[in-house]
Amino acid sequence: DENMRVLIKEGCKGFLFKKGKFIKMVGAGVYNTLGGKSYEVCEVNNSAIKVNDISDLEIFNSDSDFQKETLKVEVKSGEIVVHIVDGIFESVLTPNKYYFWNANYKHQFLHLNLNTPEIPSDFPKYLLTEQVLSPYVSKFEINSKSIGVLLYNHKFVKLLEPGIHFFTKGSNVVTVIPVESCVVSQDIVGQELLTNDKVSLRINCVVNYKVTDYVKVITEINDYKNQLYTYVQLALRDYIGEKTFDEILASKKEMSKYLLDTLKEKGKELYLSINEASVKDIILPGEIRDIMNTVLVAEKRAQANVITRREEVASTSSLLNTARLMDENATLYKLKELEYVERICEKVGNININGGSDVLSQLTGMLSSNKNNPKNN
């Protein structure tokens, strides 16, 4: 009678129960169900042991065949186990008891204690990047120009070199703070300050610094970058507040020197070595800028007028000297007269000269007449 028999196929195991009590594990075959017998069937081809309606597989441990053909893994509280089957990642096991068939599979179980932040060095790195491990593992990346300050529960542990570092997400709070190990350039822009004569200026400056103590700058200073920003503001305010507008415009280099000297001393308190501090731009208000442009234009015009007058004076003086020499030297006068005649002749077409002894005088007179009356030839 089919109702009194059960078929267990190849690749499966059967668990015999009699009146609700586990008796033994059996292999493939046909079994009767008389006398209160029943069978739970499980596939061996699946690495995990899954039996219908039975969550506690501990009851099968009384069978020696079951113990030989299975692996038992117990995951304790505060840890996870990475299950690898035949060299391939299978799953992450959370706290519980697990059984797996071992006849056809090669199992590997990697325990990871979540109560210890440090991950063992022999734990495969490729597994740490698996998405399923992200709830249990934190990833921190430190670039080549930084040093990592490692804290457990807000207490310093050690410094981390550039690279990728992994830590467990467990009972400990793990923090990694990157600190620049190179020279850092920090721009500080748009500082609006009042001069001694109540002119509002906007100052842009740059500060270059290097951290001298990676641990103390994190554990003893609350936001060292913001503190440095504040020190720059105070130094500029002290300097500009004591100077007039004209003095500020004339002392940009002195302001940069004052800023550098002040920050070098203040930087020691922040565990920073200040290498450079200089004022890049002094930005004037719109109305002051217009006035300055007007003044500049007026100054340039005045300079141009001075040059023009100087040239006119020089030219007049030259003419006066020439006239004086011509009065004193008849030969020089004649030479100048000939030069004058030569210039006129270049612009005259035909010249008719009557006979006479003083040809030069006639020519001069005629050319002068032609010059004054261009219609005459």
Side-chain angles (χ1 to χ4, degrees), residues 20 22-23 25 36 41 65 83-84 106 129 164 170 173 196 224 243 254 268 288 292-293 305 310 319 346 366 368:
F22 172 68
I23 305 300
M25 182 179 74
V41 179
D65 290 337
H83 182 204
I84 299 173
K106 181 181 179 181
T129 59
I164 298 175
V173 178
N196 191 35
Y224 66 92
K243 304 285 184 181
E254 287 76 5
K268 296 176 183 177
I288 298 294
M292 292 294 294
N293 288 336
N305 287 335
R310 188 184 299 129
L319 287 173
E346 291 176 355
M366 293 174 63
S368 298

Short mmCIF file of all heavy atoms in Angstrom, two decimals, residues 20 22-23 25 36 41 65 83-84 106 129 164 170 173 196 224 243 254 268 288 292-293 305 310 319 346 366 368:
data_model
loop_
_atom_site.label_atom_id
_atom_site.label_comp_id
_atom_site.label_asym_id
_atom_site.label_seq_id
_atom_site.Cartn_x
_atom_site.Cartn_y
_atom_site.Cartn_z
N GLY A 20 6.66 10.46 17.06
CA GLY A 20 7.20 11.78 17.35
C GLY A 20 8.59 11.79 17.93
O GLY A 20 9.17 12.87 18.13
N PHE A 22 12.71 10.88 17.54
CA PHE A 22 13.71 10.57 16.53
C PHE A 22 14.36 9.23 16.85
O PHE A 22 14.77 8.98 17.98
CB PHE A 22 14.79 11.66 16.47
CG PHE A 22 15.94 11.32 15.58
CD1 PHE A 22 15.77 11.24 14.19
CD2 PHE A 22 17.18 11.02 16.11
CE1 PHE A 22 16.84 10.90 13.37
CE2 PHE A 22 18.26 10.68 15.29
CZ PHE A 22 18.08 10.62 13.91
N ILE A 23 14.47 8.39 15.78
CA ILE A 23 15.07 7.06 15.95
C ILE A 23 16.45 7.01 15.31
O ILE A 23 17.45 6.72 15.98
CB ILE A 23 14.17 5.96 15.35
CG1 ILE A 23 12.76 6.03 15.96
CG2 ILE A 23 14.80 4.59 15.56
CD1 ILE A 23 12.72 5.84 17.45
N MET A 25 18.90 8.05 11.29
CA MET A 25 18.97 8.57 9.93
C MET A 25 19.15 7.40 8.98
O MET A 25 19.92 6.48 9.27
CB MET A 25 20.15 9.54 9.79
CG MET A 25 20.27 10.19 8.39
SD MET A 25 21.66 11.34 8.28
CE MET A 25 23.03 10.18 8.24
N GLY A 36 3.17 3.84 13.53
CA GLY A 36 3.45 5.21 13.97
C GLY A 36 4.76 5.77 13.45
O GLY A 36 5.27 6.77 13.98
N VAL A 41 12.44 14.07 5.06
CA VAL A 41 13.40 13.89 3.99
C VAL A 41 14.22 15.18 3.80
O VAL A 41 13.68 16.29 3.85
CB VAL A 41 12.70 13.52 2.68
CG1 VAL A 41 13.72 13.35 1.56
CG2 VAL A 41 11.87 12.24 2.87
N ASP A 65 25.85 8.06 12.40
CA ASP A 65 25.99 8.32 10.96
C ASP A 65 25.79 9.82 10.66
O ASP A 65 26.48 10.40 9.81
CB ASP A 65 24.98 7.50 10.17
CG ASP A 65 25.32 6.02 10.18
OD1 ASP A 65 26.51 5.70 10.41
OD2 ASP A 65 24.41 5.20 9.98
N HIS A 83 31.31 31.73 5.76
CA HIS A 83 31.25 30.36 5.28
C HIS A 83 31.70 30.30 3.82
O HIS A 83 31.14 30.98 2.96
CB HIS A 83 29.82 29.83 5.42
CG HIS A 83 29.65 28.42 5.01
ND1 HIS A 83 28.44 27.89 4.61
CD2 HIS A 83 30.55 27.38 4.94
CE1 HIS A 83 28.60 26.62 4.30
NE2 HIS A 83 29.87 26.29 4.49
N ILE A 84 32.71 29.49 3.54
CA ILE A 84 33.24 29.31 2.19
C ILE A 84 33.06 27.85 1.80
O ILE A 84 33.46 26.95 2.55
CB ILE A 84 34.72 29.72 2.12
CG1 ILE A 84 34.87 31.20 2.49
CG2 ILE A 84 35.30 29.45 0.75
CD1 ILE A 84 36.29 31.65 2.62
N LYS A 106 33.60 20.84 0.33
CA LYS A 106 34.72 21.22 1.18
C LYS A 106 34.37 22.56 1.84
O LYS A 106 34.24 23.58 1.17
CB LYS A 106 36.00 21.36 0.35
CG LYS A 106 37.22 21.74 1.19
CD LYS A 106 38.45 21.89 0.31
CE LYS A 106 39.65 22.29 1.16
NZ LYS A 106 40.88 22.46 0.32
N THR A 129 35.82 43.15 1.21
CA THR A 129 35.14 44.06 0.28
C THR A 129 33.76 43.54 -0.14
O THR A 129 33.05 44.22 -0.88
CB THR A 129 36.00 44.27 -0.97
OG1 THR A 129 36.23 43.01 -1.61
CG2 THR A 129 37.34 44.89 -0.60
N ILE A 164 44.43 51.27 2.62
CA ILE A 164 43.06 50.91 2.98
C ILE A 164 43.10 50.04 4.23
O ILE A 164 43.85 49.07 4.30
CB ILE A 164 42.36 50.16 1.83
CG1 ILE A 164 42.28 51.06 0.59
CG2 ILE A 164 40.97 49.72 2.24
CD1 ILE A 164 41.72 50.39 -0.63
N GLY A 170 31.59 46.56 15.96
CA GLY A 170 31.09 45.78 17.09
C GLY A 170 30.80 46.67 18.28
O GLY A 170 30.23 47.75 18.15
N VAL A 173 33.66 51.72 19.32
CA VAL A 173 33.50 52.77 18.32
C VAL A 173 34.88 53.05 17.72
O VAL A 173 35.79 53.48 18.41
CB VAL A 173 32.94 54.06 18.95
CG1 VAL A 173 32.84 55.16 17.90
CG2 VAL A 173 31.58 53.79 19.58
N ASN A 196 41.48 102.17 10.98
CA ASN A 196 41.38 103.13 12.09
C ASN A 196 40.51 104.33 11.72
O ASN A 196 39.89 104.94 12.59
CB ASN A 196 42.79 103.60 12.48
CG ASN A 196 42.80 104.37 13.77
OD1 ASN A 196 42.03 104.08 14.67
ND2 ASN A 196 43.66 105.35 13.87
N TYR A 224 41.59 72.04 14.53
CA TYR A 224 42.75 72.92 14.41
C TYR A 224 42.66 73.84 13.20
O TYR A 224 43.17 74.97 13.21
CB TYR A 224 44.05 72.11 14.36
CG TYR A 224 44.22 71.23 13.13
CD1 TYR A 224 44.87 71.70 12.01
CD2 TYR A 224 43.73 69.92 13.11
CE1 TYR A 224 45.03 70.90 10.88
CE2 TYR A 224 43.89 69.13 12.00
CZ TYR A 224 44.53 69.61 10.89
OH TYR A 224 44.68 68.82 9.78
N LYS A 243 45.66 100.97 11.83
CA LYS A 243 46.20 101.70 10.68
C LYS A 243 45.08 102.45 9.96
O LYS A 243 43.92 102.03 9.95
CB LYS A 243 46.86 100.73 9.69
CG LYS A 243 47.95 99.86 10.29
CD LYS A 243 49.22 100.62 10.53
CE LYS A 243 50.33 99.70 11.02
NZ LYS A 243 51.58 100.42 11.29
N GLU A 254 54.42 94.91 4.91
CA GLU A 254 54.53 94.94 6.36
C GLU A 254 53.39 94.17 7.02
O GLU A 254 53.59 93.50 8.04
CB GLU A 254 54.53 96.40 6.85
CG GLU A 254 55.81 97.17 6.58
CD GLU A 254 55.92 97.60 5.11
OE1 GLU A 254 54.96 97.37 4.35
OE2 GLU A 254 56.98 98.16 4.74
N LYS A 268 52.38 77.28 17.21
CA LYS A 268 52.94 76.33 18.16
C LYS A 268 51.87 75.78 19.09
O LYS A 268 51.92 74.62 19.51
CB LYS A 268 54.06 76.99 18.95
CG LYS A 268 55.26 77.41 18.11
CD LYS A 268 56.30 78.15 18.94
CE LYS A 268 57.46 78.63 18.09
NZ LYS A 268 58.45 79.41 18.87
N ILE A 288 34.86 103.84 -2.57
CA ILE A 288 36.28 104.16 -2.38
C ILE A 288 37.06 103.84 -3.64
O ILE A 288 37.96 104.58 -4.05
CB ILE A 288 36.85 103.37 -1.18
CG1 ILE A 288 36.13 103.76 0.11
CG2 ILE A 288 38.34 103.60 -1.05
CD1 ILE A 288 36.37 105.19 0.54
N MET A 292 39.37 106.39 -5.79
CA MET A 292 40.77 106.09 -6.08
C MET A 292 41.04 106.15 -7.58
O MET A 292 42.08 106.65 -8.02
CB MET A 292 41.12 104.71 -5.54
CG MET A 292 41.13 104.61 -4.02
SD MET A 292 42.43 105.62 -3.28
CE MET A 292 43.88 104.79 -3.89
N ASN A 293 40.10 105.67 -8.38
CA ASN A 293 40.27 105.72 -9.83
C ASN A 293 40.30 107.17 -10.32
O ASN A 293 41.09 107.53 -11.21
CB ASN A 293 39.15 104.96 -10.53
CG ASN A 293 39.28 103.46 -10.36
OD1 ASN A 293 40.38 102.96 -10.13
ND2 ASN A 293 38.18 102.74 -10.46
N ASN A 305 50.63 116.80 -18.17
CA ASN A 305 50.73 118.24 -18.35
C ASN A 305 52.13 118.75 -18.01
O ASN A 305 52.68 119.62 -18.70
CB ASN A 305 49.70 118.96 -17.48
CG ASN A 305 48.29 118.79 -18.01
OD1 ASN A 305 48.11 118.56 -19.22
ND2 ASN A 305 47.30 118.89 -17.15
N ARG A 310 57.18 120.93 -19.88
CA ARG A 310 58.63 120.79 -19.87
C ARG A 310 59.17 120.77 -21.30
O ARG A 310 60.19 121.40 -21.62
CB ARG A 310 59.03 119.52 -19.13
CG ARG A 310 60.53 119.39 -18.91
CD ARG A 310 60.88 118.07 -18.26
NE ARG A 310 60.23 117.94 -16.97
CZ ARG A 310 59.52 116.90 -16.59
NH1 ARG A 310 59.35 115.88 -17.41
NH2 ARG A 310 58.96 116.86 -15.40
N LEU A 319 64.84 127.57 -29.34
CA LEU A 319 64.64 128.59 -30.36
C LEU A 319 65.32 129.91 -29.98
O LEU A 319 65.93 130.59 -30.81
CB LEU A 319 63.14 128.83 -30.57
CG LEU A 319 62.37 127.72 -31.31
CD1 LEU A 319 60.87 128.00 -31.29
CD2 LEU A 319 62.87 127.60 -32.74
N GLU A 346 61.52 123.09 -52.16
CA GLU A 346 60.97 121.74 -52.32
C GLU A 346 59.49 121.77 -52.65
O GLU A 346 58.94 120.83 -53.21
CB GLU A 346 61.18 120.95 -51.02
CG GLU A 346 62.64 120.62 -50.76
CD GLU A 346 62.82 119.94 -49.40
OE1 GLU A 346 61.82 119.83 -48.66
OE2 GLU A 346 63.95 119.50 -49.10
N MET A 366 61.37 136.48 -53.48
CA MET A 366 60.35 135.85 -54.32
C MET A 366 59.74 134.61 -53.64
O MET A 366 58.52 134.42 -53.68
CB MET A 366 60.97 135.45 -55.66
CG MET A 366 61.40 136.63 -56.53
SD MET A 366 62.27 136.06 -58.00
CE MET A 366 61.00 135.13 -58.80
N SER A 368 59.62 134.01 -50.51
CA SER A 368 58.78 134.44 -49.38
C SER A 368 57.43 134.88 -49.88
O SER A 368 56.39 134.60 -49.28
CB SER A 368 59.48 135.59 -48.63
OG SER A 368 60.69 135.15 -48.09
#
